[in-house]
Amino acid sequence: MHQSIDEEYVESVLIDVQKRSVKMFSNLGDENSVTCDTVDEFMNVLKFVRDTLEDDAAEIYYVEPTSNET
């Protein structure tokens, strides 16, 4: 995909399954985030992100799950 230097696009996405949040970072340094209230809402957002960015050069990262055990 050829992108203009002035065109903003999603460069990377950080997905946190435990917090049900998705953060998107653009090539111009902007950041947008979505935090979902329900699992269904999160799964819909996750599916949208994957479907939309499937052919793009955007990197998708996942936050490592943590344990509440001490």
Side-chain angles (χ1 to χ4, degrees):
M1 173 180 239
H2 179 63
Q3 306 267 327
S4 168
I5 292 174
D6 297 329
E7 185 178 337
E8 186 171 26
Y9 57 90
V10 175
E11 190 170 68
S12 62
V13 178
L14 179 64
I15 299 170
D16 188 330
V17 176
Q18 285 182 305
K19 293 182 180 178
R20 294 191 300 247
S21 69
V22 176
K23 288 186 181 180
M24 295 164 275
F25 303 90
S26 81
N27 63 312
L28 300 178
D30 290 332
E31 178 183 324
N32 289 304
S33 62
V34 175
T35 302
C36 302
D37 294 325
T38 67
V39 172
D40 286 339
E41 183 180 24
F42 176 74
M43 294 305 293
N44 287 334
V45 169
L46 185 59
K47 182 179 180 340
F48 175 79
V49 167
R50 287 178 176 164
D51 290 349
T52 303
L53 298 178
E54 185 174 53
D55 295 330
D56 289 347
E59 297 287 330
I60 299 176
Y61 300 97
Y62 292 85
V63 173
E64 191 73 31
T66 58
S67 173
N68 290 338
E69 295 178 24
T70 54

